[in-house]
Amino acid sequence: MTYDLAVVGGGILGLAHAWQGARAGLRVAVFERNAYADGASVRNFGMLAIAAQQPGPELQSARASLAAWQEVAESAGISLRQAGCLFVARRPEEMDLLVERAAARGPDVQDFALIGAEDLACHAPGLKEGALGALYSPEAWKADQRGVPAAIAAWLARDHGVTFHFGTEVIHAGDGQVETTDGHHAAGQIVICGGNDFARLCPDAWTQSGVSTCRLQMLRTAPQPEGWRLKPFVMGGLSMARYTAFANCDALPALRAVQSAQMPEAVKHNVHVIIAQEDDGSITLGDSHHYGAGAAPDDPAKVDDLILAETDALMTLPERRIAARWVGNYAHLSGQSLLRISPCAGVTAVTVTNGQGMTHGFAVAAETIANLTA
């Protein structure tokens, strides 16, 4: 079979490239070694974190990706709700950071509003007493990360003529050929999406790029009682110290110093907690970050306990029983959010290297396909 574009990897990034290729009039095929996407695309919060981006090109990319998500969601019948996000301050240093960030104004700055302690209950149930206030932004959207890849794939096959080869491992990609476990396919262009396929099919380019791996731990509770709903993503000071939306704030060093002194284990394991409710009522919690090939904590249960301790400090959940725990991995390149290279003629390898493929994937794909079709 001959295709104009062969996409290796059926996760969000691969699907985004398939859609952009089909929109450009290309005959597209997607090759996914599993029966369905089972990597980083489903092991996350389903969060489009526009509010968490640094103003400038990063924020512009996230907003462009959101516009694409909205178009895809409407056409494919996917639920995409504007959840918003709430950064809750429990320490004076956290509140100082939020006040400074809220004061930033400009045409390319997120919409943030300071929330007083007395009004927090109006924005999220179960928040612990003693919070000093919060910073709210409507610029965060929630998708069903577990169901979205399958829904997008079905829509692309039905409405855009994209051919999917699930359960098909790519053995070699290059020289206009995709060699797979079910035969050979000719392709004008090949795009390799996702860190695992990138590392396996282009090992020399992967090694030379300096990209590594981030291992994370996440948890999910049993469904909360009927009628208990958490609309926004809820985060605390550990997230403020991690997200680039706060990177240029003068108050950030003081917050990091307090965290290092008072929360050394959380800092050591790069924990930052996001609390998000799923459509079935369960709560997704996480996550931790351990960097390097084969990186893993000596005591994973201790890391789960750190995540749960920060969750408990922020919020009381009616149902705290943990129903699922899992480990995820994504490509990581320090100081860089994207790796896109051409290891050989006709092949482009691309992966998001900051763990925010849901937020930036569609914008990344648009740029890749525009470059290939120029």
Side-chain angles (χ1 to χ4, degrees):
M1 189 66 71
T2 300
Y3 302 104
D4 299 315
L5 174 67
V7 178
V8 182
I12 291 299
L13 190 60
L15 295 170
H17 280 82
W19 178 56
Q20 297 289 2
R23 293 180 82 196
L26 305 181
R27 185 177 183 184
V28 181
V30 176
F31 297 87
E32 166 57 50
R33 67 177 179 272
N34 296 313
Y36 54 87
D38 190 35
S41 292
V42 298
R43 298 170 182 264
N44 60 68
F45 297 94
M47 182 183 189
L48 310 186
I50 288 77
Q53 309 304 304
Q54 186 170 22
E58 189 174 282
L59 178 57
Q60 294 164 12
S61 169
R63 285 176 169 165
S65 196
L66 170 63
W69 266 105
Q70 290 171 325
E71 182 177 346
V72 169
E74 181 177 0
S75 299
I78 294 168
S79 173
L80 182 66
R81 64 178 176 89
Q82 188 171 6
C85 67
L86 195 67
F87 292 95
V88 179
R90 295 177 289 119
R91 294 175 172 84
E93 294 81 6
E94 294 170 356
M95 198 65 206
D96 289 344
L97 186 69
L98 298 187
V99 169
E100 180 182 348
R101 189 64 183 83
R105 294 289 183 268
D108 192 24
V109 176
Q110 295 97 324
D111 181 12
F112 280 120
L114 276 175
I115 308 299
E118 67 279 4
D119 295 323
L120 285 177
C122 299
H123 287 78
L127 291 176
K128 289 286 183 68
E129 292 184 4
L132 303 178
L135 189 66
Y136 174 77
S137 173
E139 294 193 75
W141 276 255
K142 179 75 173 77
D144 174 11
Q145 68 275 22
R146 292 173 285 181
V148 158
I152 294 178
W155 167 67
L156 288 175
R158 181 182 68 246
D159 291 1
H160 290 275
V162 175
T163 300
F164 283 86
H165 298 266
F166 287 108
T168 303
E169 183 165 359
V170 174
I171 301 169
H172 174 76
D175 303 317
Q177 294 288 321
V178 179
E179 181 183 349
T180 77
T181 50
D182 72 351
H184 289 72
H185 306 269
Q189 293 286 341
I190 302 166
V191 176
I192 302 171
C193 295
N196 289 337
D197 288 316
F198 188 170
R200 181 173 53 83
L201 295 172
C202 309
D204 292 341
W206 175 269
T207 300
Q208 292 168 11
S209 71
V211 70
S212 186
T213 301
C214 177
R215 178 191 186 277
L216 56 87
Q217 290 178 207
M218 297 181 67
L219 310 92
R220 184 174 292 120
T221 72
Q224 301 301 304
E226 186 174 355
W228 193 95
R229 296 300 303 175
L230 177 64
K231 180 181 177 182
F233 296 91
V234 173
M235 290 168 272
L238 291 169
S239 296
M240 300 174 206
R242 183 172 183 84
Y243 277 133
T244 56
F246 303 95
N248 295 330
C249 292
D250 293 337
L252 183 58
L255 173 58
R256 284 182 168 158
V258 166
Q259 290 175 343
S260 294
Q262 298 181 4
M263 312 170 70
E265 287 300 304
V267 172
K268 174 184 175 181
H269 294 284
N270 296 287
V271 169
H272 91 107
V273 169
I274 301 174
I275 305 171
Q277 190 165 28
E278 306 296 340
D279 289 346
D280 64 2
S282 63
I283 299 287
T284 299
L285 303 169
D287 49 4
S288 58
H289 302 79
H290 295 90
Y291 300 102
D298 294 333
D299 187 354
K302 179 180 177 180
V303 175
D304 283 353
D305 289 343
L306 289 169
I307 293 170
L308 289 169
E310 178 68 2
T311 300
D312 292 340
L314 286 166
M315 168 173 282
T316 299
L317 296 174
E319 174 57 83
R320 191 182 176 278
R321 179 168 49 91
I322 301 302
R325 303 170 189 260
W326 66 92
V327 171
N329 292 280
Y330 66 78
H332 171 73
L333 191 56
S334 181
Q336 194 167 320
S337 60
L338 175 68
L339 179 62
R340 185 195 287 119
I341 60 176
S342 180
C344 59
V347 176
T348 301
V350 56
T351 185
V352 177
T353 55
N354 64 358
Q356 297 191 53
M358 291 283 287
T359 299
H360 292 281
F362 276 95
V364 168
E367 187 174 288
T368 302
I369 300 303
N371 291 340
L372 294 180
T373 58

